Amino acid sequence: MRVSGQCMAPVLQDGAVVSVRASRWYWPGDVIAYVNACNQLRVHRVIGYFPGTCGLRLITQADTCEAPDSPVSFGSVIGKTGPVPAWRRVQATGRFLRLACRWLCRRIS
């Protein structure tokens, strides 16, 4: 699949070709391809999980964006790209923890 846009730069540049393979499980830091609610194909990084009313959903976020995407169902995921360095997994988990703290603070106040 060919990447379009700069939201995942410098890891994935505009025009880069990536291979995507299905997986049983997706971990924070994995870069996944999925179809969003508007039927658009996206390639963003998994930062964590969200327990929704229809089951567990993935939380994704582009590397250059400040806010996460809408939760993604496992049925919308096509697969993931190649290997991920450990520091990217730590970074993704940190993004999710910051997001979870914001959610909790809003619920408490």
Side-chain angles (χ1 to χ4, degrees):
M1 107 187 280
R2 187 173 300 280
V3 174
S4 167
Q6 293 294 327
C7 66
M8 289 298 292
V11 174
L12 299 175
Q13 295 291 339
D14 185 34
V17 176
V18 296
S19 61
V20 176
R21 68 184 192 300
S23 180
R24 204 175 304 170
W25 198 251
Y26 302 98
W27 298 100
D30 285 341
V31 177
I32 63 168
Y34 66 94
V35 179
N36 69 6
C38 298
N39 233 12
Q40 299 169 318
L41 187 60
R42 296 280 187 232
V43 178
H44 287 170
R45 191 173 304 280
V46 173
I47 63 169
Y49 298 92
F50 179 79
T53 56
C54 300
L56 201 59
R57 296 188 175 263
L58 295 160
I59 302 297
T60 61
Q61 186 172 352
D63 286 353
T64 61
C65 291
E66 292 296 318
D69 307 315
S70 296
V72 177
S73 69
F74 279 91
S76 300
V77 178
I78 296 164
K80 65 181 176 179
T81 64
V84 177
W87 70 270
R88 284 282 186 191
R89 294 196 186 281
V90 171
Q91 181 185 48
T93 302
R95 281 182 155 195
F96 182 73
L97 290 173
R98 284 191 297 278
L99 178 64
C101 287
R102 285 194 297 258
W103 283 341
L104 285 172
C105 288
R106 274 190 243 149
R107 292 191 79 177
I108 291 171
S109 53

